[in-house]
Structure formats: structure tokens, C-alpha cells
Amino acid sequence: MPPGILEQPAEEQQGGDSHMTNAANDSCVDRLTLLRSMPEPPVECQVCVVGAGPAGLMLACNLGRFGVKVEVVDDRADQTPVGRQVHTPADGLQPKTIETFRQMRLADPLLQRGVRVYDIAFWRSTTDEPLHRLGREIHYPPIIDVLDPYILLVHQGMVESLFIEDLKKRGVEVRRNTAFDSYSVCDGNNGPLQVNCLTNVTQDRKTILTQYLVGCDGAHSKVRKSIPDAKPIGLSQPSLWGVLDGELDTDFPDIWSKTLVYSQEHGSILIIPRERNMTRFYIELKSSTKGDRNMLGQDFVMQRAKEIMAPFSVKWKYIEWFGRYQIGQRVANRFQDSHTRAFLAGDASHTHSPKAAQGMNTSMHDAWNIGWKLNFAARGLAKPALLESYEEERRKIALDLVNFDYEHANQIAGGDAVALAENFKTNVRFISGIGAEYGENAINMVEPQSWVMGDAKPGCLLPPAKVTRYLDSNPVDIQLDIPMLGQFRIYLLMWDVHQSRIFLDGFCAALASPDSLVNQLSAATNISYAKQPRLPAPEDIYLRPERYTAVSHLFTFGLITTMPKSEIEITDLPALFQDSRWTFYLDDIPELDTRGQLCTNKWLGSLGPGEVAIVNVRPDGYVGSIGRWDSSVDDAGEEAAKWLDTYYDRFLQVPPSPAMA
């Protein structure tokens, strides 16, 4: 295979920001023609994902479900095993991540096999006091409004297996033993990226032509090194920690709680219960242990753990894994190249200590954020602002994370239970995942008027709420009920459908108009999915995704009312909502809600008797915008439809001709 297009030496590689003359562009086109005519032509796709860890697989899984042509390359021969590995395996899923897996319909195997941790215990010993419990805290108190108020401990290998199995069902396989080497931009940035890989022990060259490249290849990311100025900024702390995974024989009473044990003389241990009856110890190797790190082996670390835990007995039935690591907090100063063609996610863009159980969660939510945006970009439906929002949103979260992690790691090492508990309480929304909030941008529209009076806010996750699905009277969690198919959800809330009928008729008529951008976008998206549909899976026969795309492949409309079921029929609704019958909900079961509230009141704070509210929800579950109208005002429905056009015009476009090759 010929060398990469306009490749430079590795130390000078300028990947995503190569500038080309017209002659170079002509040469690039000639090179692509040559590549495609060779006996082994390049692999062609829309998104190339480098790295098959949790971030890369989460991204590939969603892109595959959306119908995007995705290639995943990984330099390892196999996935992360449940047993030994060469790095500290991630293992804690926070409440928001559990919700994400529920939305993907992938949570059940993890919930069946994982260990749930509801509390934190604090222990301390000094030269004057033997080891004793200082107290306990609820991990996620009721102030955190989540369905799953616990950490779920599951091994990274189990998470990866779940994604790999889902990909295989849809005909997507990871390309193993394939190492990313470099990439080049050509043809004035309009042509494909050329991704150069080396395969197998023979280092054979493999070329992939792709519209977009996403580096999920870890802390030493080669993709990051290929993006100009994408440098990790931060520092490493001098402290060294050992990690032990194994099955314990101990008389310590809090072994099945998340527990911090501090010894003034010997250092700290963070205890994490694990699946398969195992326990993880994070053991501080205090600065007094000078010398060669190789001297700090497994036996030394086990002995240090016994010293910290004394007078309790600690023995291991077996050790499954041992490792050491030094804490570092770093964030890349860029998460994407200047052309928004190459991106970074997961550890490639941010690193921190593993003790707050944030790494795998944040990494997968990087992928969750960019996946739906790449879907619309690959289909020609995205304005530049949509992909540009990825760095804006996720780099903010990464900075918030490393700042929290710096304080958290220091307080664990210091053994100050009071300070640690206070720091945890201050940051508990962020730690759970629901406090990862985005600022105002093209896809988070904050109205000049103060429409936001409830818990649903632009840039924040949709709060959980219980409603009754009209069609079959099932109580459902509304934030989970509609499967994540890469579509926006548009919820209309009102007290009385009959009273708001004029509004609804005007709204639906305006949306059906040829001048409606929502109508035009919907038509273009339907054509796109007809040409390149979502990849099916055997479970679809039970999940029935077509229920949620009957009106549009871009929008799923939902209607929420507090009316009794006896007072309304499906036939009382306008045609748009009759066709959306599976997303017609009755807001009548506040007693089942996490806070005992009606969905309407929780989301909106209050809603007047004649008011109609619209909540736009992004494909990743974040609120995009909220509007309110007085249904008694003439043309209010038409104004609401125009408001929708204004919102979606900020970041979506109708392609000149149907996209998707």
C-alpha cells in the first residue's frame, strides 16, 4: 500500500490541519483514484473510530444503531478481559450512566451481575487511637433525583462485551491488531480523510477513507498527537498508589460498603466492592517509601494494606489483578481539529485518578454526546455549529472533572473524612452524572423570557418522571420510554387537550406547511433513512422502534396531559398525534414519582390552565429548549411552530440533495 497522502515525518505530522495548494489537491484526487483501483482497495466508511475501549465502543454502538457506516480499529488482539490486564480497569457506573444504558435497552445484564453500593463509610486510626469508624453517609441522598441512587460496580470487560455483542448483532466487527499510524486531509477538506493503519505483527499497511475520525485510543493517543496543538495540559502528583483486585477473607465489617480507611502512620485505602465476590483496594504508597518502584511489588502492597487495616485481619483467597499508578490530571487543549473532521474522546482527551469512579462514565458520555451529532453530519443535515458544540460542551465537563478530582484525590490521601464528606456533598450532583450541565450554545437555547421555572432546563438532563402511557395504561418512566434512535423528542404539555384543541390544530397545520423547516428537515431525514436505514437487531421485533418513527425519523412527538383517560379518545387528537399514539401520556401518577410530583409540575414548575408548553429534548436526553404559549391567543399554535423552526434552524439544515452515500 502506498504511503499516506502528503505524509510528514512523525514528529512533524500535521494531520488534520494540512494546507494544500491546487496542485496538491489534484495530486490528492489522483492518489484516491489510485488507492481505489488497487488489488486491495481501501476500506471506506463515514466514521472511523480508533480504540475499542468503553468510549470507542459506545460511539460505534450508537453509530451502528443509527445506520452510519462505522469502522472500529484497535491495536489489541482482544477486548479487555475480566482477569488480568495492563492498566487499571474501570468498574463503577454512576446513576446517569445506568440511565443511559437503560435508554439503550442494555442495562439488564449489568444490573443482574453488578454490585450496588448505596453508602460510604469512613474509618481512621492515629498514634493515639486505634482504627475506628467515624461515620457513614448515603452515597446519593434524595436531593439527587435519579432512578438508580447507587454506584453499580461492573468490570470494564463486561461493559465492552455488551457493546461488542450489540455491534455483532448489527453486522459490525472490531478490526483487531490494527494500529492507527496517521491521517491526512485532502481535496480542500471536502474529500475523505485518509487514515493509515498498521496491521498484524507484519506491520502491513491498511488504508481507511472516512468522513470523520474519532480518537478513543487512550491517554497516549496517537490520534491526539496527529491533531495540531491538541496537547494534554496538566500535572502529575507525586503520590503513588497500588491496586489489588481479589477475593478477601477478613473480619472488617464494612467490606461491602464503599469505604475510606485512613492510617496516620501508613496511609489510606479506598475499598470498593466488586462483582464475583471480589474487593478492590486502592492503597496509598506514602512518600516515605523511597527508592525503586520495582521494589513496591504485590507483596509489599499487600503488607501495606494489612498494616493500614490493623487490627482487623486481611487475607486474600486469590489475587486476580495487581497494578500501580501515579495520579495525573490532564485535559487536552483541543478536542477536535480546526476542520471539525477529527475528534478526541475519553482518555485521549482527559485523564484523572480512578478513585472517584468517573473515568469510564465521562468517557462514554463523550461518545454519547458526539455520536448523534456525527449521525446528522454524515447525513448532510448538520450545520457546522452542531459538531463545533462537541468541544464546547465536553471540554467544560472534563475541566470540571479534573478540578473536582484534584481535590477529591488529595482529601482521600489526607484522610480528612469531614473535608472529604463536604467535598462529596458539594459535588454529588456532578459525581452522579446529572450535574454534568452544558452552557447556552446553538443547541441549548435559553429564552429571553423566564420560561424556566421547573427542573427541566436547557443544557441539563431531562428529570425523571412517572406517567401513564395512554394506549395500554402502563406506568412508565417518561425519560426512558422512547428508545434512543438518534431522534429529537418534542413534548407538548397541557392540562386539557380539548381546551387546547385550537392551539393543537394550528400547530399541526403549520408544521405540515411546505414552508415549515421542521417539515422540510423531517422529509430530508426520511429520505436519508430510506437510503441508509438504521441497522436492525433481533430484539427489534419486541421493542418495535417503528412506533416512534411513524411520523418522522428526525422527531418523535409526545403529548402529556393531566386529563383522566375516560375523558379523551385517540380520535380526539389531531392526525399528527394520532400517528404518535404510543407517546400519548397521562400525567396522573405522582405517587410513583421519585419526588411525589406530577411530571408537569416537576419539569415546568407550574403551568397555567390555558397554557401549552413545549420541551425539546436532544437525542442524548438533554433539554434543548423550552417554550410556553397561551392557547387562548389567536395564532398561538402557529407561533409555536415558528419557534420550533427557529430552534432547529440554529444547527440543522436541509441538504441541497439527499445525503448519504
Side-chain angles (χ1 to χ4, degrees):
M1 192 63 68
I5 301 171
L6 298 182
E7 276 192 43
Q8 304 172 36
E11 65 271 15
E12 299 176 6
Q13 178 69 30
Q14 293 296 305
D17 280 7
S18 297
H19 297 287
M20 295 188 167
T21 64
N22 289 335
N25 279 331
D26 292 341
S27 173
C28 179
V29 173
D30 292 342
R31 180 70 62 84
L32 293 176
T33 302
L34 175 62
L35 284 171
R36 287 171 169 143
S37 65
M38 295 190 70
E40 186 184 346
V43 175
E44 300 195 39
C45 63
Q46 291 166 308
V47 180
C48 176
V49 178
V50 179
L57 291 172
M58 166 70 90
L59 177 57
C61 185
N62 279 287
L63 291 173
R65 288 173 170 218
F66 300 158
V68 174
K69 295 175 184 175
V70 60
E71 288 288 338
V72 188
V73 300
D74 192 273
D75 58 2
R76 299 175 298 170
D78 207 346
Q79 69 184 84
T80 302
V82 174
R84 293 186 173 272
Q85 39 252 305
V86 296
H87 67 289
T88 306
D91 57 7
L93 298 184
Q94 300 289 352
K96 166 53 191 152
T97 308
I98 300 170
E99 178 183 273
T100 300
F101 277 99
R102 288 186 184 277
Q103 290 167 330
M104 295 178 70
R105 309 301 192 253
L106 292 177
D108 286 350
L110 300 176
L111 293 169
Q112 290 164 4
R113 299 170 189 170
V115 173
R116 305 180 190 198
V117 172
Y118 285 87
D119 68 347
I120 312 173
F122 301 94
W123 290 69
R124 183 182 178 91
S125 68
T126 66
T127 53
D128 301 321
E129 295 179 300
L131 187 62
H132 61 286
R133 186 191 295 117
L134 295 175
R136 284 197 180 98
E137 296 281 347
I138 298 173
H139 207 292
Y140 290 116
I143 191 174
I144 304 302
D145 191 10
V146 292
L147 281 185
D148 300 284
Y150 52 82
I151 297 179
L152 184 68
L153 280 305
V154 291
H155 195 280
Q156 176 179 326
M158 295 165 61
V159 174
E160 290 181 14
S161 294
L162 206 60
F163 288 137
I164 289 169
E165 182 182 347
D166 193 77
L167 284 166
K168 285 181 178 178
K169 290 176 183 176
R170 301 170 201 276
V172 180
E173 297 272 356
V174 176
R175 291 181 180 270
R176 298 285 180 187
N177 295 311
T178 303
F180 171 86
D181 185 55
S182 63
Y183 82 97
S184 305
V185 181
C186 68
D187 196 19
N189 194 42
N190 294 318
L193 305 180
Q194 179 179 332
V195 178
N196 305 301
C197 299
L198 301 175
T199 64
N200 305 318
V201 293
T202 54
Q203 298 289 281
D204 296 330
R205 187 173 290 276
K206 187 77 175 176
T207 301
I208 299 173
L209 300 179
T210 182
Q211 288 177 250
Y212 300 99
L213 169 68
V214 186
C216 304
D217 49 337
H220 303 289
S221 168
K222 290 197 72 174
V223 176
R224 185 185 65 235
K225 294 171 184 175
S226 298
I227 297 176
D229 301 323
K231 297 178 175 62
I233 306 298
L235 51 84
S236 293
Q237 297 184 36
S239 58
L240 191 68
W241 290 73
V243 188
L244 285 169
D245 279 347
E247 187 171 348
L248 287 175
D249 180 3
T250 180
D251 56 356
F252 183 70
D254 287 346
I255 204 67
W256 288 103
S257 297
K258 180 178 175 180
T259 304
L260 175 64
V261 180
Y262 175 75
S263 164
Q264 191 176 50
E265 180 179 1
H266 299 293
S268 299
I269 289 181
L270 181 63
I271 300 173
I272 306 291
R274 292 289 306 272
E275 76 286 350
R276 297 182 294 123
N277 211 41
M278 290 198 306
T279 303
R280 169 168 293 181
F281 276 9
Y282 290 106
I283 304 127
E284 181 189 11
L285 306 176
K286 292 196 73 161
S287 55
S288 58
T289 55
K290 305 288 186 183
D292 187 352
R293 287 190 184 184
N294 292 327
M295 301 294 292
L296 307 178
Q298 179 174 312
D299 290 341
F300 177 91
V301 173
M302 291 170 67
Q303 180 59 35
R304 177 54 54 89
K306 292 179 179 180
E307 292 168 350
I308 295 172
M309 299 290 289
F312 296 99
S313 169
V314 178
K315 299 177 183 177
W316 282 267
K317 295 181 180 179
Y318 68 91
I319 298 288
E320 183 171 274
W321 187 79
F322 163 72
R324 292 184 302 264
Y325 70 91
Q326 189 172 11
I327 294 174
Q329 288 96 6
R330 292 182 174 84
V331 177
N333 56 352
R334 294 178 67 176
F335 279 27
Q336 58 199 38
D337 70 354
S338 61
H339 302 299
T340 56
R341 301 284 300 280
F343 303 85
L344 301 173
D347 287 354
S349 54
H350 48 77
T351 57
H352 44 86
S353 84
K355 293 190 291 296
Q358 292 294 306
M360 181 163 59
N361 297 269
T362 307
S363 294
M364 288 192 292
H365 281 108
D366 290 345
W368 186 244
N369 181 286
I370 198 173
W372 65 273
K373 298 173 182 179
L374 286 171
N375 176 38
F376 292 134
R379 294 180 183 276
L381 294 161
K383 290 183 176 179
L386 185 60
L387 287 181
E388 290 167 0
S389 71
Y390 170 68
E391 178 177 280
E392 183 179 351
E393 293 188 333
R394 294 309 297 175
R395 192 167 185 274
K396 170 190 178 294
I397 300 305
L399 290 169
D400 290 345
L401 172 58
V402 297
N403 289 332
F404 157 73
D405 181 66
Y406 179 81
E407 295 296 329
H408 188 70
N410 285 340
Q411 285 161 355
I412 287 177
D416 187 338
V418 175
L420 184 65
E422 284 303 313
N423 178 262
F424 194 87
K425 288 177 182 177
T426 301
N427 293 282
V428 68
R429 290 191 76 256
F430 181 81
I431 296 167
S432 71
I434 65 168
E437 298 173 353
Y438 305 139
E440 183 176 3
N441 59 26
I443 54 178
N444 304 321
M445 184 172 75
V446 178
E447 295 289 334
Q449 305 96 326
S450 182
W451 291 140
V452 180
M453 295 182 283
D455 292 343
K457 302 171 184 176
C460 300
L461 285 163
L462 189 68
K466 281 279 189 183
V467 293
T468 300
R469 193 164 54 206
Y470 177 92
L471 209 57
D472 59 4
S473 296
N474 272 225
V476 297
D477 296 291
I478 193 165
Q479 76 282 3
L480 304 177
D481 189 51
I482 300 173
M484 295 299 200
L485 305 171
Q487 82 284 40
F488 290 87
R489 289 171 283 165
I490 301 175
Y491 294 103
L492 279 76
L493 296 90
M494 62 202 70
W495 292 118
D496 190 307
V497 174
H498 298 309
Q499 184 180 345
S500 304
R501 183 60 195 254
I502 294 175
F503 174 96
L504 289 173
D505 287 341
F507 175 77
C508 293
L511 289 185
S513 165
D515 296 329
S516 163
L517 178 64
V518 166
N519 189 3
Q520 295 167 15
L521 288 169
S522 186
T525 306
N526 290 349
I527 292 171
S528 177
Y529 277 107
K531 290 185 64 177
Q532 190 166 345
R534 297 176 177 88
L535 296 182
E539 294 82 26
D540 289 350
I541 195 170
Y542 302 105
L543 299 177
R544 311 309 300 191
E546 71 276 5
R547 291 173 177 171
Y548 309 96
T549 57
V551 170
S552 167
H553 283 275
L554 182 58
F555 307 108
T556 297
F557 290 86
L559 195 153
I560 304 170
T561 180
T562 55
M563 294 179 68
K565 187 172 184 177
S566 59
E567 294 183 9
I568 188 165
E569 299 290 339
I570 292 289
T571 52
D572 294 332
L573 303 176
L576 173 74
F577 292 100
Q578 289 189 38
D579 292 339
S580 307
R581 63 191 64 197
W582 281 98
T583 50
F584 178 27
Y585 302 105
L586 305 175
D587 190 5
D588 60 355
I589 46 173
E591 68 277 6
L592 299 183
D593 177 64
T594 51
R595 292 186 171 174
Q597 290 181 278
L598 291 170
C599 171
T600 303
N601 292 338
K602 178 183 277 191
W603 285 7
L604 302 174
S606 65
L607 188 69
E611 269 192 306
V612 174
I614 297 180
V615 179
N616 278 302
V617 181
R618 302 167 13 169
D620 56 2
Y622 277 77
V623 177
S625 61
I626 299 175
R628 293 170 180 256
W629 294 266
D630 183 343
S631 63
S632 65
V633 173
D634 291 344
D635 300 329
E638 291 83 347
E639 290 302 314
K642 290 178 184 176
W643 175 82
L644 280 184
D645 282 353
T646 299
Y647 171 64
Y648 288 104
D649 189 44
R650 293 158 64 104
F651 55 88
L652 294 181
Q653 65 182 8
V654 178
S657 59
M660 300 298 275

